[in-house]
Amino acid sequence: MANLSTLASLLDNTTQTSITSSTPEPTCKIEDGFLSTVLPVFYSIICVIGLASNVMALWVFYFNQKKATSISIYMKHLALADLLLLLCLPFRIAYHIGEYAWMAKCYFCKIIGAFFYINMYVSIAFLVLISLDRYLKITKPLRKFRLHSVKWSSGISMALWASIFLLMLPFVVLSTTNSKDSKCFHYKSQSKLAGSMNLAAVIFIFLLSLLFLISYAKIAVKLYKISQGKKKEEIRKVRTRAILKTFIVLVIYIVCFMPYHIVRIPYVLSQMDIIPSCLTKNSLHIANELVLCLSALNSCLDPIIYFFLSNSFRRTILNTFYGKFNKTFPKTNGTLNSFKSITEI
C-alpha cells in the first residue's frame, strides 16, 4: 500500500510539474498611454513651424545668394534634411491617433522609420560640419583648409548623405517585425546583434559629443584671448555676437539630441531583454517617445542657427516681419543678392 501511495504521489507531482511548465509566461504589453494624446499635438506644431521655416531657408540658400560658402552649403543640406524629416511626422501623427493599420503593409512602417532616422543623423552630421567650419576659422584664421572650399564642402555633403544611408541599411535589415502586430513606430524586441549595433551607434555619438565640448572649449579660450585687453564697448559687442553665432549650434545639439541618446542605452537593453521588467519597459517606451519628439524639435530650432549665421536668411526674416515683401522677394532679373560671409566674428 505504501508503494502504491508513493507511486500515486510521484505521478501527481509529475503531472503538476508538466502543467506548470507548459503554461506560457505572461507577455509584457507595452502601452502608449498619454502619448496618444500628447504626441500628435507636439508633432503637429513642430511640423507646421518646421515646414514654414525650412522652406524659407531653402529658398534663401538656393535662390537668394550670390556666392556660396562652405558653411552656407552645410546649412542648405541641413535644411533639406530637416525638411525630409518633417515629412515623416504626419505618419507618426496618424499612428498616434489610431490611423495606422494601412501603414503596416509592404514594410511601409519600416521605410518611414528608417527615413526618419536617416535624416535625424544627417542633421547631426551637418551640425558637426558647421561647428568644425567655425572652429577652424576662429582658432586658425590664417590657414586655408580644403574643407572651406565650395567644391570640397559640396563633395563632403554628398558623401555624407550616401554614407549615412548605407550605414542605416543594416539596422533596417536586422530589425525584427511581427506579422501579427500591425502597430507602427512602437516598442519592438531586438536581437543581440541589432541591439549591439544600436549601442555602438550611441557610443559613437557620445564620443562625437565629447569632441564637440573640447572644440567649443578651445573656441571659448580663443575668443577670450581675442578680447583680452580690449575695453571698448564695440569690441565687447563683437565678442557677444561671436559667442551667439558660435555656441548656438552647441546648445541646440545638446538640447535636442543628448536626451535621446542617454535614454537610448537602457531602452535598447530592454529591447534585448537584458532589462526584463515589464514596468521598466513601459516607462522606457514612454521616455523614448518623448525624447524622440524632442529630437524632431531640432527641425524647428535649426533656423535659429541660420538666423545668426546667415545674413541673407536674417534679412529675409526681418524684412518679412516688417512687411517689406519687395525687399524679401526682389525681382532681380537673374541677378542674385549678395551673400555676405557668415563666418565673420
Side-chain angles (χ1 to χ4, degrees):
M1 291 294 294
N3 290 335
L4 290 174
S5 176
T6 303
L7 180 60
S9 178
L10 289 172
L11 288 172
D12 183 63
N13 290 337
T14 303
T15 304
Q16 184 66 31
T17 302
S18 176
I19 293 173
T20 303
S21 61
S22 61
T23 302
E25 295 182 1
T27 57
C28 179
K29 188 175 182 181
I30 307 297
E31 300 286 353
D32 284 334
F34 69 91
L35 295 176
S36 298
T37 304
V38 173
L39 290 185
V41 176
F42 284 138
Y43 278 136
S44 297
I45 295 172
I46 291 171
C47 193
V48 172
I49 297 175
L51 284 174
S53 57
N54 283 284
V55 166
M56 178 172 285
L58 286 172
W59 185 89
V60 172
F61 295 140
Y62 275 98
F63 303 111
N64 199 31
Q65 60 173 320
K66 182 178 181 180
K67 183 180 179 181
T69 63
S70 57
I71 201 168
S72 71
I73 289 173
Y74 298 144
M75 288 193 294
K76 178 171 65 177
H77 284 276
L78 176 59
L80 179 60
D82 287 340
L83 183 63
L84 293 176
L85 184 144
L86 289 165
L87 296 179
C88 299
L89 296 188
F91 299 100
R92 289 187 170 270
I93 295 170
Y95 162 70
H96 285 292
I97 63 176
E99 301 294 333
Y100 58 82
W102 60 275
M103 287 190 286
K105 300 178 181 179
C106 301
Y107 294 96
F108 195 72
C109 293
K110 185 183 288 189
I111 294 171
I112 294 297
F115 196 68
F116 179 91
Y117 285 106
I118 286 172
N119 288 288
M120 183 179 79
Y121 282 103
V122 166
S123 296
I124 292 175
F126 279 111
L127 286 175
V128 171
L129 287 174
I130 290 171
S131 299
L132 178 60
D133 190 281
R134 296 284 300 169
Y135 169 77
L136 293 176
K137 288 181 178 178
I138 291 175
T139 60
K140 303 179 186 300
L142 300 180
R143 294 186 60 182
K144 182 68 174 179
F145 295 90
R146 289 182 176 179
L147 186 68
H148 295 154
S149 70
V150 172
K151 180 180 179 180
W152 273 78
S153 55
S154 298
I156 290 171
S157 299
M158 299 306 297
L160 191 148
W161 278 100
S163 299
I164 292 182
F165 179 79
L166 292 175
L167 287 172
M168 285 297 298
L169 285 180
F171 292 95
V172 178
V173 173
L174 291 173
S175 62
T176 58
T177 54
N178 187 349
S179 59
K180 296 181 180 180
D181 187 6
S182 61
K183 287 189 175 183
C184 290
F185 320 124
H186 196 67
Y187 182 100
K188 291 181 176 65
S189 298
Q190 287 201 45
S191 65
K192 300 298 182 185
L193 178 58
S196 299
M197 292 177 63
N198 273 280
L199 291 175
V202 173
I203 292 173
F204 175 76
I205 292 296
F206 283 142
L207 293 175
L208 191 65
S209 302
L210 180 61
L211 292 176
F212 246 94
L213 294 175
I214 293 173
S215 299
Y216 278 98
K218 291 183 177 181
I219 290 175
V221 171
K222 181 69 174 181
L223 292 178
Y224 176 78
K225 289 181 178 179
I226 291 174
S227 62
Q228 192 74 356
K230 307 290 185 180
K231 296 184 179 180
K232 293 182 179 180
E233 185 66 25
E234 184 178 352
I235 296 298
R236 286 197 291 270
K237 288 181 179 179
V238 170
R239 182 182 62 182
T240 301
R241 287 199 300 269
I243 291 173
L244 285 174
K245 284 184 175 183
T246 302
F247 287 90
I248 190 66
V249 180
L250 178 64
V251 171
I252 290 176
Y253 175 85
I254 291 175
V255 169
C256 293
F257 296 120
M258 287 309 297
Y260 172 75
H261 288 93
I262 290 172
V263 171
R264 193 70 179 165
I265 293 178
Y267 179 78
V268 173
L269 292 176
S270 72
Q271 288 182 307
M272 298 165 67
D273 279 331
I274 295 176
I275 299 177
S277 169
C278 187
L279 179 61
T280 304
K281 288 183 178 181
N282 272 279
S283 299
L284 288 172
H285 167 63
I286 292 174
N288 181 75
E289 291 299 319
L290 290 176
V291 293
L292 190 64
C293 181
L294 190 60
S295 70
L297 181 64
N298 174 73
S299 301
C300 293
L301 297 182
D302 282 341
I304 298 176
I305 296 175
Y306 314 147
F307 184 85
F308 280 105
L309 298 186
S310 169
N311 289 328
S312 290
F313 185 78
R314 180 168 59 253
R315 185 171 59 249
T316 300
I317 293 295
L318 293 176
N319 287 341
T320 301
F321 180 78
Y322 288 113
K324 300 176 181 178
F325 293 106
N326 290 332
K327 292 184 179 180
T328 304
F329 304 102
K331 298 179 180 180
T332 57
N333 295 325
T335 304
L336 299 176
N337 293 336
S338 61
F339 187 77
K340 192 178 179 181
S341 175
I342 53 181
T343 58
E344 293 176 351
I345 298 177

